[in-house]
């Protein structure tokens, strides 16, 4: 039986719609499954958390507004003004009613309600096809950011349930190869006083704001010039999908919890950040509580902050400086607050560069570069995890050689990434040579 050209064309026309329906069904199934798990385990799941964000007390002010801000890039100027004004008005009304009833002055209801309303309106309203597609894509990315946050919160609780023990003693030994940066930064941040700690804390928790600024700049012309081939949001989502899976294979709670005052009785001792524990070449898994997330390896804050930095490189000076400053402050915060070990940050950086290598569109003459770099990054990350788990004693005993090899490999990987995706040709491009792709529209992203 042969399929006619008309039927093939009809299938091709329906493929995007069927793909969207399948994606929505998959997301709904994940949310329901996580909610059932959360209800059985006795914690707030993603659906209950979303319901609270609609009509109750929102769990975050930043994330709903970031999601709405991303959705604005696909709308006309008139629709942006109406949407933002309505979201702000609803936010104030909900907050005022909540405050009058004795609750907290918290924002976040308005943008989520408007974002959901936009999804319904754009989905059902008869707009021009290109205008509707652009608007739907922006709204979809905005909703995905909100949903991904809820899924991530539930997953963090699940990591504590499925991994009752943590491997922090192994990470502590492995970090001898990096000169224990968490203890060093911890002392510096404590010496900096409350102002420095408050500044780093704000940068740490408001990473979505930096991501929104960079993403909105990248997508500022999508309503007229179309979507770029590569931008920040897909990198963020893919990182959030892959990174947390590693938590289960290498559960860590961080120096301040395993070796400091935040351990709630489960810590090895009160060492962080004033004293590094003595080297114990017989590490063991530590039993820990059932609520602290095992979310250290890899450091997703480092991975996301590095992604923000990379995607800010093609912007104006203020955006490049902001991306660099956010990365530096995020690294200082993750280490200085005792949330991560040095090996966590390295793993997060390698993960980011690997995902970026896989997602970026390669130069026509360098297609195999992307394949090779993605494979090398994945192998490097796997080797780092294996060394931290099974050769931690050797990493502590021979700290200098291991440190040189690890840092050197990261430098080589970073240099190869720069040469492939950022370095400009030495000579002007001719008909036989193409420029290296960048990040933004108009630069061959």
């Amino acid at each position: 039986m042969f399929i006619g050209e008309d039927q093939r064309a009809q299938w091709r026309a329906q493929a995007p719609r069927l793909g969207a329906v399948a994606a929505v069904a998959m997301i709904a199934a994940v949310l329901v499954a996580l909610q059932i798990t959360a209800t059985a385990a006795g914690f707030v799941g993603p659906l209950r958390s979303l319901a609270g964000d609609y009509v109750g007390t929102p769990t975050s002010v930043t994330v709903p507004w970031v999601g709405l801000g991303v959705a604005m890039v696909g709308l006309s100027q008139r629709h942006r003004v109406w949407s933002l004004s309505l979201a702000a008005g609803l936010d104030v009304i909900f907050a005022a009613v909540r405050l009058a009833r004795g609750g907290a002055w918290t924002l976040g209801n308005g943008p989520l309600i408007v974002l959901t309303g936009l999804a319904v309106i754009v989905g059902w309203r008869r707009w021009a096809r290109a205008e509707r597609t652009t608007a739907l894509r922006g709204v979809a990315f905005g909703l995905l950011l909100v949903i991904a946050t809820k899924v991530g919160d539930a997953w963090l609780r699940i990591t504590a349930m499925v991994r009752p023990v943590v491997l922090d003693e192994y990470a502590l030994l492995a970090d001898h190869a990096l000169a224990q940066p968490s203890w060093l930064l911890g002392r510096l941040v404590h010496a900096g006083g409350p102002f420095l700690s408050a500044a780093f804390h704000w940068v740490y928790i408001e990473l979505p704001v930096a991501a929104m600024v960079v993403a909105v700049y990248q997508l500022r012309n999508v309503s007229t010039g179309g979507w770029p081939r590569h931008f920040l949001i897909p990198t963020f989502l893919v990182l959030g999908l892959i990174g947390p899976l590693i938590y289960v294979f290498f559960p860590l709670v961080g120096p301040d919890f395993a070796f400091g005052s935040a351990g709630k009785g489960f810590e090895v001792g009160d060492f962080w950040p004033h004293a590094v524990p003595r080297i114990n070449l017989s590490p063991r898994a530590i039993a820990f509580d059932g609520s602290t997330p095992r979310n250290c390896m890899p450091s997703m804050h480092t991975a996301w902050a590095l992604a923000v930095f990379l995607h800010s490189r093609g912007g104006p000076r203020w955006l490049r400086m902001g991306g660099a400053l956010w990365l530096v402050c995020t690294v200082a915060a993750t280490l200085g607050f005792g949330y991560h070990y040095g090996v966590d940050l390295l793993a997060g950086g390698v993960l980011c560069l690997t995902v970026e290598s896989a997602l970026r569109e390669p130069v026509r003459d360098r297609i195999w570069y992307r394949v090779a770099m993605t494979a090398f990054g994945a192998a490097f990350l796997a080797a780092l995890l294996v060394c931290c788990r099974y050769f931690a004693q050797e990493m502590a005993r021979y700290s200098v050689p291991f440190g040189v090899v690890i840092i050197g490999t990261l430098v080589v990987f970073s240099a190869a990434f720069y040469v492939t995706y950022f370095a400009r040709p030495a000579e002007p491009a001719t008909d036989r040579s193409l420029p290296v792709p960048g990040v933004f529209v108009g630069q061959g992203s």
Side-chain angles (χ1 to χ4, degrees), residues 17-181:
R17 181 177 298 179
L18 295 176
V21 172
V24 171
M26 183 181 302
I27 292 172
V30 170
L31 289 174
V32 171
L34 287 175
Q35 184 59 53
I36 293 174
T37 303
T39 302
F43 64 89
V44 178
L47 294 180
R48 282 181 58 190
S49 182
L50 277 173
D53 285 355
Y54 280 110
V55 296
T57 302
T59 56
S60 173
V61 179
T62 304
V63 173
W65 277 106
V66 167
L68 182 61
V70 170
M72 293 297 100
V73 300
L75 302 178
S76 65
Q77 189 64 29
R78 181 171 65 89
H79 289 109
R80 292 173 186 170
V81 172
W82 277 104
S83 299
L84 293 174
S85 301
L86 180 59
L90 288 174
D91 234 3
V92 172
I93 292 173
F94 271 89
V97 171
R98 189 180 303 114
L99 186 64
R101 293 181 175 179
W105 176 267
T106 306
L107 303 175
N109 302 99
L112 187 57
I113 294 174
V114 172
L115 185 59
T116 307
L118 285 173
V120 175
I121 293 172
V122 176
W124 289 97
R125 191 171 178 179
R126 294 183 178 274
W127 287 0
R129 182 175 180 180
E131 182 183 12
R132 185 176 183 226
T133 301
T134 301
L136 272 177
R137 194 172 182 181
V139 172
F141 277 123
L143 284 173
L144 278 175
L145 289 175
V146 176
I147 293 173
T149 302
K150 301 301 180 182
V151 171
D153 292 341
W155 181 253
L156 293 182
R157 293 298 303 269
I158 292 175
T159 61
M161 293 167 46
V162 300
R163 296 309 305 264
V165 298
V166 296
L167 305 177
D168 284 73
E169 287 195 358
Y170 294 86
L172 176 69
L173 283 181
D175 243 23
H176 279 284
L178 305 176
Q180 297 296 343

Side-chain angles (χ1 to χ4, degrees), residues 204 207 239 243-244 246-247 252 295-306 330-331 333-335 339-352 381 385:
Y204 187 83
L207 179 61
L239 285 173
I246 305 177
Y247 295 163
L252 299 175
N295 62 336
C296 288
M297 176 66 84
S299 170
M300 294 308 300
H301 266 80
T302 300
W304 284 321
L306 180 57
T330 299
V331 169
T334 54
L335 293 173
Y339 296 155
H340 289 278
Y341 303 91
V343 288
D344 304 340
L345 271 66
L346 287 182
V350 173
L351 176 63
C352 176
L381 180 60
L385 293 174

Side-chain angles (χ1 to χ4, degrees), residues 177-411:
L178 305 176
Q180 297 296 343
S182 180
W183 266 259
L184 175 61
L185 266 295
R187 294 169 188 167
L188 292 177
V189 170
H190 278 67
F195 177 80
L196 183 63
S197 295
F200 282 165
H201 184 71
W202 185 84
V203 169
Y204 187 83
I205 64 175
E206 297 298 345
L207 179 61
V209 174
M212 182 190 70
V213 172
V214 174
V216 168
Y217 184 86
Q218 288 180 305
L219 304 176
R220 66 195 184 280
N221 297 322
V222 296
S223 58
T224 57
W227 289 78
R229 291 187 293 260
H230 179 56
F231 53 100
L232 177 61
I233 298 177
T235 299
F236 249 61
L237 293 174
V238 173
L239 285 173
L241 180 65
I242 297 176
L245 295 177
I246 305 177
Y247 295 163
V248 178
F249 298 101
F250 205 104
L252 299 175
V253 290
D256 192 25
F257 293 87
F259 303 100
S261 58
K264 301 177 182 178
F266 290 90
E267 68 275 6
V268 176
D270 190 4
F271 299 102
W272 189 89
H274 51 274
V276 179
R278 295 181 59 184
I279 295 180
N280 178 12
L281 295 180
S282 299
R284 59 184 177 84
I286 308 169
F288 220 79
D289 64 28
S291 60
T292 302
R294 279 56 165 161
N295 62 336
C296 288
M297 176 66 84
S299 170
M300 294 308 300
H301 266 80
T302 300
W304 284 321
L306 180 57
V308 169
F309 169 79
L310 293 175
H311 284 265
S312 68
R313 294 304 87 196
R317 181 183 296 272
W318 64 267
L319 192 67
R320 298 196 305 270
M321 292 180 62
L325 181 63
W326 215 281
L327 175 60
V328 171
C329 292
T330 299
V331 169
T334 54
L335 293 173
F337 293 146
Y339 296 155
H340 289 278
Y341 303 91
V343 288
D344 304 340
L345 271 66
L346 287 182
V350 173
L351 176 63
C352 176
L353 294 178
T354 303
V355 170
E356 276 288 313
S357 298
L359 294 181
R360 285 175 180 261
E361 185 167 335
V363 182
R364 186 176 303 170
D365 296 334
R366 298 181 177 180
I367 294 178
W368 288 106
Y369 282 33
R370 181 178 71 167
V371 176
M373 289 185 61
T374 303
F376 179 81
F380 184 18
L381 180 60
L384 183 62
L385 293 174
V386 169
C387 285
C388 292
R389 176 61 179 88
Y390 296 104
F391 299 99
Q393 300 94 321
E394 286 74 14
M395 293 180 72
R397 186 181 290 113
Y398 307 106
S399 57
V400 174
F402 268 98
V404 170
V405 170
I406 293 173
I407 298 298
T409 306
L410 180 61
V411 169

